[in-house]
Amino acid sequence: MRLHHLEITAFGPFAGTVAVDLDALAEGGLFLLCGPTGAGKSSVLDAICFALYGAVPGERNGARHLRSDQAAPEVAPRVVLEATLSGRRFRFTRSPAWERPKKRGEGLTLQQATVLVEERLDGAWSHLTGRIDDAGHLVARLVGLTLTQFCQVVLLPQGEFQRFLRAGGDDRQKLLQSIFRTGRFGDVERWLAEHRRALRQESLALQRPIAEAVSRASEAAGLPLPADARFDEPAGAVAAPDLERWVAAAEADAADHAAEAGVALAPAVAAAAAAADALRAAEDLTAARRRQEQLAARQAVLLAREEEAAAQRRRVEEARRAAPVLGLVTTRHRAAEAARRADRALADGLRLLGPVAAETAGTLVLTLDDVVDPLVQAALDEPAVRAALADSRARCERCADAVDRQAELARLEAASERAAEELAVLDARDAALDEAEATLPAHIARVRAALRADSAAVEAARLAEHRRAGAAAALAAAERVEELAQVLTEAEAALTTAREETQRRREHWLDLRERRLDGMAAEIALDLAVGDACPVCGSCDHPRPAAAGAGAPDAAAERAARRSVDDAEVHQQARVDAVRAAAENLARAREAAQGTDAAGWRTVVTDLDDLLVELTAQVAGLAGREAELAELEARQQALADDRRVLAERRATLAAERQQHAARIGELTRVVARVRAVEGSEPADALTALTATVEQWEHVLDARLDLDRAAAHLAETHELALAEAVAHGFDDLDAAAAAGLPHAELVALEEQLRSHDEELATTREQLADPALVAAAAAPPADLDRLRAEAEETARAASALRTRHDVAVRRHARLEALAADLRAALAAWAPVRDRYDVADRVATLASGRSADNRVRLGLAAYVVSWRLGQVVAAANQRLAPMTAARYSLEQESGALRLLVRDEWSGELRDPATLSGGETFLVSLALALGLADVVAGESAADGEGSDLETLFVDEGFGSLDAETLDDVMDTLDELREGGRVVGVVSHVSELRTRIPTQLQVAPSRAGSRLSIVHADG
C-alpha cells in the first residue's frame, strides 16, 4: 500500500480544504507529522483511515461527529485519498453523515454518508462503485486487513500502539490469517474434513447393500450370520472372507436339499401319470358311446327330409336354365327406354329451333315389332343439320372477332387522346425550362462571389480571436502585477516581524538555559536523599546542599521556552514560504504582461472586440450562402436532367400516335364489314348466334342418340329370344317365370348343400371303427378311476412343491451371493480411500497421535508465520534496547513473551513499562511489516505494507534510546518503505528534516510541508 495524495475538507479541525502531496512528503522515506497538541496530527491519520474504511480508529469513531465545527454551515465534509493498493491506483472520495441547512425553510436535515471509488486506467479515472458496502469489501480484499487490524499493523494510533503486542491468541491469529492470507489452509482443513465425511457417507451407503444382501441370504438359507462377520462400521470392520464362506455353505446346503427332493419326486410322478392315463381312457370310451347314439338319431331325421329336398333340386335346375335369359331380357327393356328418351330430346330441339329448322324438316316413321308401341318422330336429315351448325359457328366466330377489335379500337383511341394531352403538357414544361435556364447562371455567379468574400472574413475573425485571447491573458497578468507587488511587500514585512520574534524567543530560551545551568546544583540538590550518594561528588554526606534562588528556572520552564522557539521557527518558515511564493507569482505575472501596462492592453482588447463584432456580422450569412449555392447548383443539374427526359418522352409519344392512327383505320374497316353482313352490332349478333349454335348442337346429338338407341333395341330383342329358345323355353315370358332372384337361388342351393353334406358326414362318422367298438364294449367304472387319479396326483403335487421350493431357494441364494460379492467389491476401494482420508484429516485437525504439536493446519501455519514475525522483530528490537530485550513465542501457541537478558527471566508484555512497551510494540510492528514486505516481493501474496505510521510514544524515551529508535527507523528507508512519525517532541524536528506541520488557528487548522534542512 502506497499513499499519493490527501485532500481534507471540513473534517475534524480542518474547517476549509487542505491538501497534501504524500508522494513529495515520502521521497526521503521518513517524515515527521508535527504540531502543537490538539492541532490535528491524529486527525490526519483519521482522515486516511476514514477514506479507506469509512471509520476512524478507537473511541473517536463512536462519537459519530467527524465534521469540523469551524466549517461554514453549507460546506460538506469530505476526504479524498489517492493510493496504490495491490499494484492498482485508486481514488477514494468519502463524506460522513452530517446535518446540512434545509434548502427550503429553516432548520437542518440529515445528509447520509457517501462514497465514490475510482481507478486510474489508461491515464483517466474510471468509476468503480458508489456503494458503501462494495467499497468496504474492495478495500478489505486489496489491503487484506480489517479496520482494527489496519490500526494494529499500519496505522498505530495514539493509545492503541501496543494492542497487537498484548492481543489475545484468537485476535492475533485472526490478524495474521488476514495479513498472510492463510485462510486457504483453513479451507484445506475444512475440505479434508468434508472429504472424510463424504467418504464416510459413501462407505455407509455402500454397506447398506451388503447388509441387505446378508439379511436376505440369511432369511433365504435359514442360517444365522457368524458373530465375527461384522459390517456395521464405516471402515475396516467387515470380514469379507467369512461372509463369502458363509454364503458358499448356504448355497451348498440348498443344492443338497434340491437334489434330495428331485429323487423322491420321480416315482410319485410316474404313478400319478399312470392313474391319469387309465382315467382318460375310460372317459374316452364313455364319450364315444354317447357320440354313436347321437349320430344315429341325427341320421334318422335327415333321411325323413329326402323327398322335400328332391323337389327343391328340380326348382333350382329350372332357375339355373333361366338365369342367362333373364339378363338379356333386362338389357332389352333398358334399350327400349333409351330409345324413348332420345325421341323426346329430338322433338324438344326441333321445337326450340322453330322457323330455322323448317327449311330442312322431314318426316320419319320408325316402326318396331310388337315388343314396343310404334313411335312417330319428326327428324332432320343429319348432313343438313351438320351444314347448318357449321354455318352458324363461322358467323359466330366473325362476330366474336369484331367484338374484340371494337374493344382494341376504343383502347387505341383513348391512348391517342392521352398522348396528345401529355404532348401539350411537355410543351408547357419546355417553355418553363427555357425561362429558368436563362436566369440561373447569373444568380450562381453572384452567390459564389459573396461566398468568397465571407470565407476571407472568417479567416480574419479567427486570427482576431486568437490575438484577442492573447491580449486578454496579458491584460489579466498586467492587472495582477500591482496586486502581487502589494502582496510581496506585505509578506516581506511579515517575514521581518517573524524573524525578530524568533530571535527574541531564542534569546529568552538561551537566557533561561544559562540561568538553569547556573542553578543546576540547587536542582540536583532537590533530588538528594539522606544516605544516597551524590551524583556529582559521590559523597553520602550532604552538609550544605545548594538552594535555588528566587525566580530560578526549572526544566519545565526551559522546555516551554524551547517549544515557544519551535513555534516561532515554524511561523518564520511559513513567512519565508509566503515571500518565496509571492515573488514567484509576481515574476510570472510580469513575464505574462510582456512589459506593457494594463491600460495599453485594454486598448488592444477594445480594438479587437470592435473588429470581431464587424467580422461576425459580415460572416453571419456564410452558412446560408453555402446552402443557397448548393441548392442553385442542384437546380441547374436538375434542369438539365429534365430537358433530356422531356426530349426522350416527346419522341416516344410521337411514335406511339403514328402507330395508333394506322391501327385505328384497319380496325374500323373490319368492324364496318361485320355490321353490314349481320345487320346489327357485332355484340348483339354474337349473342344470338351463340344461342343458335347451342340449339343445333343439341338437335344433332339427339338425332345421333336416337339412331343408336333404335339399333341397340332391335339387336337386344333378337338375342334375348334366341337365348330363351336355346335353354328350352318357348318364349321370353316362360323364361322370366322360371327365374329366381339371385339371393333366393343362392340360399336354396346352400340349404340343399348343407343337407347333403350333413347326411354324408353322419354316415361316415357312424362307420368309424372306434365308435363301432365303443358301442360293443361294456361301460367303464369312472368314479373308481377318478378317485385313484386324484390321490396319486395329490401325492405327486406335494413332492413337486417341495422340490420347487428347494430349487428356488438354491437359485435365490446363488443370486444373493452374487449380489453380496458385487457389493463387497464395490465397497472395498471406498473403504480404503476413507481410511486414508480419515488419517489425513485427523492429522490436519491436530487430533492425531502423529501430530506432536497438537495444532491444526491453519493454526500451525499461523504459528510458523508468527515465528517469522518474532524473528524479524528481534532484529529491530536488539539495537533499540542494546540487546537487553527479545521476543519469544510460546511453543505450540500464539502467545508472546519478552525475555530480559539482564535477569534471564521471561516476562509477560503487560509487566513492561511505558517506554519498554513502546519499543517492543514498535519492533513487533516493524517485524510484521518486514515479513509482509518480504512475502509480497517473493510471490505477490499477502498485504503489501509499504507505509507505516507511528503516533506518539517517543516522549517516553531517553535521548540514547531515542537515537537507537531513530537509527532503526532510518534503516527502513533502504527497503523503499515510508515511515511517518507523529509526535510533538521538539528533538524530532532536528532529527527528521521532512515534516508535515499542522498549524492551528481560529479559522481551522492548516497543513504545510517543510524541509528543515533547506
Side-chain angles (χ1 to χ4, degrees):
M1 181 189 72
R2 173 77 72 174
L3 307 181
H4 301 290
H5 185 80
L6 176 65
E7 180 182 306
I8 307 173
T9 302
F11 185 89
F14 304 101
T17 298
V18 295
V20 182
D21 185 357
L22 296 173
D23 284 332
L25 190 65
E27 287 180 355
L30 180 66
F31 67 89
L32 175 66
L33 176 57
C34 60
T37 301
K41 299 186 297 297
S42 297
S43 295
V44 175
L45 305 185
D46 289 349
I48 295 174
C49 198
F50 178 76
L52 292 174
Y53 291 94
V56 297
E59 298 178 355
R60 294 189 298 278
N61 190 52
R64 299 295 183 185
H65 183 67
L66 302 178
R67 186 177 182 274
S68 175
D69 295 330
Q70 298 168 293
E74 68 279 359
V75 177
R78 187 183 68 168
V79 177
V80 181
L81 175 65
E82 292 184 24
T84 296
L85 308 178
S86 297
R88 300 162 59 188
R89 184 154 180 166
F90 297 90
R91 182 168 64 187
F92 299 90
T93 303
R94 284 189 186 267
S95 178
W98 64 291
E99 291 185 342
R100 62 170 177 80
K102 293 183 177 179
K103 295 181 180 180
R104 296 181 180 178
E106 299 180 354
L108 301 175
T109 184
L110 179 63
Q111 183 72 32
Q112 297 296 335
T114 61
V115 66
L116 173 62
V117 181
E118 300 167 285
E119 184 177 3
R120 191 77 170 178
L121 297 173
D122 298 329
W125 290 109
S126 176
H127 177 273
L128 280 187
T129 182
R131 292 174 55 88
I132 293 178
D133 53 350
D134 290 346
H137 295 326
L138 176 67
V139 172
R141 177 169 53 84
L142 294 175
V143 179
L145 302 173
T146 64
L147 172 61
T148 303
Q149 295 165 350
F150 183 80
C151 294
Q152 291 176 346
V153 177
V154 178
L155 197 67
L156 302 176
Q158 185 175 357
E160 299 184 16
F161 193 80
Q162 70 280 9
R163 179 168 296 182
F164 177 59
L165 174 64
R166 297 178 177 177
D170 292 340
D171 294 339
R172 189 175 290 118
Q173 179 176 356
K174 292 178 181 177
L175 173 63
L176 294 175
Q177 282 180 341
S178 178
I179 292 175
F180 293 108
R181 309 288 173 88
T182 59
R184 58 185 181 274
F185 297 102
D187 294 339
V188 170
E189 279 191 57
R190 288 188 291 274
W191 183 89
L192 289 173
E194 179 62 24
H195 182 59
R196 177 177 59 184
R197 187 196 64 79
L199 287 177
R200 178 185 175 84
Q201 295 298 325
E202 186 178 357
S203 176
L204 292 175
L206 291 174
Q207 286 180 22
R208 282 194 289 271
I210 298 175
E212 292 174 0
V214 169
S215 177
R216 291 196 298 268
S218 177
E219 179 182 357
L223 296 175
L225 181 68
D228 55 350
R230 295 172 289 116
F231 55 89
D232 56 349
E233 295 184 14
V238 173
D242 293 341
L243 287 178
E244 293 180 355
R245 286 192 296 271
W246 171 79
V247 77
E251 285 184 273
D253 182 68
D256 293 341
H257 281 80
E260 294 175 0
V263 172
L265 176 63
V269 170
D277 292 341
L279 177 61
R280 283 194 296 273
E283 290 176 343
D284 292 342
L285 177 62
T286 303
R289 290 174 59 85
R290 189 180 302 110
R291 179 63 177 164
Q292 194 276 336
E293 293 173 356
Q294 293 173 350
L295 289 174
R298 182 57 181 168
Q299 182 181 22
V301 173
L302 291 174
L303 291 174
R305 292 180 56 194
E306 269 300 308
E307 185 177 355
E308 180 183 355
Q312 289 177 343
R313 290 189 185 94
R314 290 191 296 272
R315 182 71 180 91
V316 168
E317 178 63 23
E318 291 179 356
R320 285 175 178 170
R321 286 189 296 108
V325 183
L326 292 179
L328 293 175
V329 171
T330 301
T331 302
R332 184 257 181 198
H333 286 313
R334 291 174 181 171
E337 181 62 29
R340 292 189 187 91
R341 287 197 301 272
D343 182 53
R344 286 194 296 272
L346 179 59
D348 293 339
L350 291 174
R351 282 193 299 272
L352 290 174
L353 283 171
V356 177
E359 299 177 0
T360 57
T363 302
L364 174 64
V365 178
L366 177 62
T367 303
L368 303 176
D369 56 18
D370 55 357
V371 177
V372 294
D373 295 334
L375 298 176
V376 180
Q377 300 173 336
L380 296 176
D381 182 64
E382 181 181 347
V385 173
R386 291 186 180 277
L389 177 59
D391 180 65
S392 298
R393 285 176 174 170
R395 291 172 59 194
C396 186
E397 290 176 358
R398 288 195 298 273
C399 290
D401 181 66
V403 170
D404 294 338
R405 292 175 184 271
Q406 278 184 320
E408 183 181 359
L409 179 62
R411 289 194 300 272
L412 291 175
E413 290 175 347
S416 181
E417 292 178 1
R418 288 194 300 272
E421 294 173 357
E422 188 174 356
L423 282 172
V425 173
L426 293 178
D427 292 338
R429 289 185 61 188
D430 198 6
L433 290 175
D434 292 339
E435 182 179 356
E437 289 178 344
T439 60
L440 193 58
H443 193 180
I444 291 175
R446 289 194 299 274
V447 172
R448 285 176 176 169
L451 189 59
R452 286 193 294 271
D454 291 345
S455 299
V458 168
E459 184 62 26
R462 187 179 297 110
L463 294 175
E465 288 177 353
H466 180 71
R467 291 175 56 199
R468 201 270 181 198
L475 174 59
E479 290 175 346
R480 291 189 60 203
V481 166
E482 299 177 359
E483 299 175 3
L484 292 175
Q486 180 63 30
V487 170
L488 177 59
T489 302
E490 294 175 355
E492 290 173 345
L495 175 60
T496 301
T497 303
R499 284 173 175 169
E500 293 174 353
E501 178 64 18
T502 301
Q503 184 62 29
R504 185 187 63 80
R505 294 185 181 184
R506 189 186 306 278
E507 291 174 356
H508 175 67
W509 169 62
L510 293 174
D511 180 62
L512 282 177
R513 183 178 182 85
E514 185 177 358
R515 290 165 57 195
R516 184 189 173 206
L517 291 175
D518 293 342
M520 185 59 69
E523 187 173 337
I524 294 175
L526 292 176
D527 295 333
L528 291 177
V530 178
D532 287 344
C534 176
V536 178
C537 65
S539 175
C540 295
D541 297 328
H542 316 295
R544 290 189 305 276
D554 56 6
E558 183 183 355
R559 287 195 298 271
R562 178 58 193 175
R563 283 196 297 270
S564 177
V565 173
D566 292 341
D567 294 342
E569 288 176 347
V570 170
H571 184 68
Q572 176 183 331
Q573 185 61 40
R575 301 286 74 78
V576 170
D577 294 341
V579 170
R580 186 185 301 111
E584 292 175 354
N585 292 336
L586 179 59
R588 285 194 295 270
R590 284 174 177 169
E591 182 182 358
Q594 303 177 13
T596 305
D597 58 4
W601 284 118
R602 288 193 188 94
T603 301
V604 174
V605 170
T606 302
D607 294 342
L608 290 174
D609 286 340
D610 295 340
L611 178 60
L612 282 173
V613 170
E614 180 181 351
L615 292 174
T616 302
Q618 182 177 351
V619 303
L622 177 61
R625 289 190 182 92
E626 290 177 346
E628 183 180 5
L629 177 61
E631 182 181 359
L632 291 175
E633 291 176 345
R635 285 179 57 192
Q636 189 177 33
Q637 182 62 36
L639 289 175
D641 295 341
D642 289 348
R643 174 77 69 186
R644 184 177 63 258
V645 172
L646 286 176
E648 294 174 354
R649 184 59 179 165
R650 183 182 286 107
T652 301
L653 290 175
E656 288 180 355
R657 290 193 67 194
Q658 185 177 1
Q659 294 174 359
H660 291 168
R663 183 62 176 165
I664 287 172
E666 180 182 351
L667 294 175
T668 301
R669 289 190 294 273
V670 172
V671 172
R673 285 197 300 269
V674 173
R675 189 182 291 115
V677 172
E678 298 297 335
S680 63
E681 289 296 327
D684 298 337
L686 177 61
T687 302
L689 287 172
T690 300
T692 301
V693 168
E694 292 177 354
Q695 293 302 325
W696 276 119
E697 290 175 346
H698 178 70
V699 169
L700 179 60
D701 292 341
R703 183 71 182 86
L704 295 175
D705 290 342
L706 178 61
D707 291 344
R708 286 193 294 269
H712 183 59
L713 175 62
E715 182 182 358
T716 55
H717 180 75
E718 291 176 1
L719 289 175
L721 182 59
E723 189 69 17
V725 172
H727 285 80
F729 296 102
D730 296 335
D731 52 26
L732 294 178
D733 292 337
L740 285 175
H742 179 70
E744 185 177 348
L745 176 61
V746 170
L748 187 57
E749 288 176 341
E750 181 64 26
Q751 182 179 355
L752 290 172
R753 184 168 55 256
S754 298
H755 173 77
D756 294 341
E757 290 177 354
E758 186 177 4
L759 180 60
T761 301
T762 302
R763 288 173 176 168
E764 181 180 358
Q765 291 176 349
L766 285 174
D768 185 1
L771 294 182
V772 174
D781 187 0
L782 291 177
D783 293 337
R784 180 183 59 80
L785 294 174
R786 187 176 291 112
E788 291 177 356
E790 290 176 355
E791 183 177 357
T792 56
R794 280 195 299 271
S797 176
L799 291 175
R800 185 179 289 106
T801 300
R802 176 186 170 190
H803 177 263
D804 291 344
V805 169
V807 170
R808 285 197 299 270
R809 187 180 71 167
H810 181 229
R812 178 168 174 75
L813 280 173
E814 286 181 338
L816 291 175
D819 293 344
L820 178 58
R821 294 185 184 100
L824 289 172
W827 175 68
V830 176
R831 176 194 59 197
D832 296 339
R833 292 202 307 272
Y834 173 77
D835 291 342
V836 175
D838 182 55
R839 290 195 300 271
V840 175
T842 304
L843 178 65
S845 64
R847 294 191 297 269
S848 172
D850 297 332
N851 190 334
R852 294 188 299 275
V853 295
R854 296 297 178 180
L855 285 178
L857 179 61
Y860 174 78
V861 173
V862 171
S863 176
W864 179 71
R865 288 293 192 184
L866 181 59
Q868 290 182 309
V869 172
V870 169
N874 285 332
Q875 292 180 0
R876 302 293 186 184
L877 183 60
M880 290 192 293
T881 62
R884 176 182 177 181
Y885 294 110
S886 62
L887 283 167
E888 291 190 8
Q889 179 186 0
E890 187 175 350
S891 177
L894 300 178
R895 185 184 177 193
L896 293 178
L897 298 174
V898 179
R899 176 173 292 279
D900 188 343
E901 298 296 342
W902 290 5
S903 64
E905 298 293 330
L906 287 175
R907 299 170 57 183
D908 190 284
T911 64
L912 299 176
S913 66
E916 292 170 337
T917 300
F918 171 78
L919 293 176
V920 175
S921 299
L922 178 60
L924 187 60
L926 296 178
L928 177 60
D930 288 340
V931 175
V932 171
E935 286 292 323
S936 299
D939 54 16
E941 296 184 357
S943 302
D944 188 9
L945 306 179
E946 299 180 17
T947 304
L948 177 68
F949 288 91
V950 182
D951 188 358
E952 295 300 346
F954 295 93
S956 61
L957 305 178
D958 56 56
E960 184 178 355
T961 303
L962 182 60
D963 288 339
D964 295 335
V965 171
M966 294 305 300
D967 291 341
T968 300
L969 295 179
D970 282 335
E971 293 176 1
L972 297 177
R973 295 183 292 180
E974 298 176 0
R977 190 174 302 134
V978 177
V979 179
V981 176
V982 184
S983 180
H984 61 268
V985 176
S986 58
E987 282 191 54
L988 293 179
R989 298 189 182 185
T990 60
R991 295 175 178 270
I992 304 176
T994 304
Q995 302 173 8
L996 176 61
Q997 295 183 355
V998 186
S1001 68
R1002 292 182 178 272
S1005 297
R1006 298 182 305 278
L1007 295 175
S1008 59
I1009 298 177
V1010 176
H1011 297 281
D1013 56 354

